[in-house]
Amino acid sequence: QIHQLTDHGETVARAILNNEAIAVSDGSYKNDSGAAGLVLQQGFNKTHRICLSNVIPGLAAAQSSYRSELGGLYGIVCVVETLTSNYGLTSGSITIGCDGKEALYQSLSDTGPVSPRASDFDVITAIRRKVARSPITFHTKWVEGHQDSMPGRSRRLGPWAMLNVEMDLLAKQRLALQSLVVTPPGNTITDEPWQLWLGEAKISNKLPEQLYTHFSKPRAKKYWEKRLPPASFDDVDWNATGHASR
């Protein structure tokens, strides 16, 4: 959802070209739903900027605060990709601020292969592929989160902190629209290299463990069906049992 877009993003594109662009994102997670707020602008000038919120892709079971942070970073990279294409950028840079230190590192700082054991490897891989293909240089900056709630800090917030607070509020507002935050089960993340589905669930973290649990569960059920009373058979958490049988 676009909240602010001036001059078709031309000022932000020029700022990227001149190495003056910054961006900030923040994610929010609640009740198995995720959203993020993000903004791109020329330095700390808010006159011309691109501000939007997005819904985090994935099934309810895959959602988390960490995934929401990654979703905001993914949104920023997608906007940069669009500006690069629309304005024919061949060089430039942008500094991205976020209070999710691990999300920043995994998606924008570490350039090695993404482990299938990693949480949210689908979003991380998509971000890395876009960054690797881009002629734009991405710098990162960790911004301490929730500084507005710290005693005595509300009147002394720096510009990065102010943007973080603004994006935090925007993400929460987007998340409050619960009826619109439900993500279709078949949602695809552009630039994720492949998808693995087990039944109706797309796997996005801890791939080896999930595969083992999936294939061990039928074996565990077959073993216990003759050893448990019929009345209690359906009360067993078979996913946990399959995982424990590793």
Side-chain angles (χ1 to χ4, degrees):
Q1 180 179 356
I2 298 175
H3 300 276
Q4 185 178 351
L5 173 62
T6 56
D7 69 358
H8 303 288
E10 182 178 349
T11 298
V12 176
R14 190 182 309 115
I16 293 173
L17 180 63
N18 295 330
N19 305 307
E20 299 172 342
I22 67 168
V24 173
S25 67
D26 197 22
S28 185
Y29 164 75
K30 184 178 181 181
N31 298 332
D32 294 330
S33 296
L38 52 124
V39 63
L40 298 86
Q41 57 188 48
Q42 180 183 22
F44 297 108
N45 184 348
K46 296 184 178 182
T47 304
H48 298 290
R49 63 180 189 164
I50 302 170
C51 183
L52 56 105
S53 60
N54 64 353
V55 174
I56 309 306
L59 300 175
Q63 300 299 330
S64 66
S65 298
Y66 178 61
R67 190 174 180 85
S68 293
E69 296 287 4
L70 288 170
L73 297 173
Y74 177 78
I76 290 174
V77 172
C78 286
V79 173
V80 172
E81 182 179 56
T82 300
L83 292 174
T84 300
S85 175
N86 289 351
Y87 290 96
L89 302 180
T90 57
S91 64
S93 68
I94 185 169
T95 300
I96 301 177
C98 177
D99 62 11
K101 187 179 296 186
E102 184 65 14
L104 274 175
Y105 173 75
Q106 291 295 338
S107 62
L108 292 166
S109 297
D110 191 353
T111 58
V114 181
S115 170
R117 295 183 182 274
S119 295
D120 307 296
F121 60 78
D122 54 343
V123 185
I124 294 174
T125 301
I127 294 173
R128 289 191 190 181
R129 291 186 74 180
K130 288 182 178 297
V131 169
R133 192 171 59 237
S134 176
I136 306 305
T137 301
F138 292 83
H139 303 292
T140 62
K141 178 179 178 60
W142 177 69
V143 181
E144 186 177 6
H146 306 290
Q147 294 188 45
D148 55 324
S149 62
M150 298 178 183
R153 296 287 294 274
S154 60
R155 297 183 180 180
R156 296 186 286 111
L157 296 184
W160 284 101
M162 292 291 289
L163 288 173
N164 173 259
V165 171
E166 183 184 359
M167 293 306 104
D168 179 52
L169 292 174
L170 184 60
K172 286 181 169 59
Q173 291 170 2
R174 185 68 184 89
L175 193 59
L177 302 175
Q178 290 289 347
S179 61
L180 299 180
V181 179
V182 177
T183 305
N187 189 274
T188 298
I189 301 172
T190 304
D191 268 320
E192 62 176 329
W194 44 262
Q195 292 186 355
L196 175 64
W197 290 72
L198 296 178
E200 296 183 354
K202 175 190 162 187
I203 305 305
S204 59
N205 57 69
K206 300 180 180 178
L207 176 59
E209 290 87 343
Q210 299 238 33
L211 283 174
Y212 199 99
T213 297
H214 178 77
F215 290 110
S216 297
K217 184 168 64 174
R219 184 176 59 187
K221 292 179 73 173
K222 184 177 181 179
Y223 175 84
W224 285 107
E225 66 182 355
K226 296 180 180 180
R227 292 168 173 81
L228 291 176
S232 62
F233 191 76
D234 291 335
D235 295 332
V236 177
D237 186 339
W238 293 111
N239 285 329
T241 303
H243 182 72
S245 66
R246 294 179 60 220

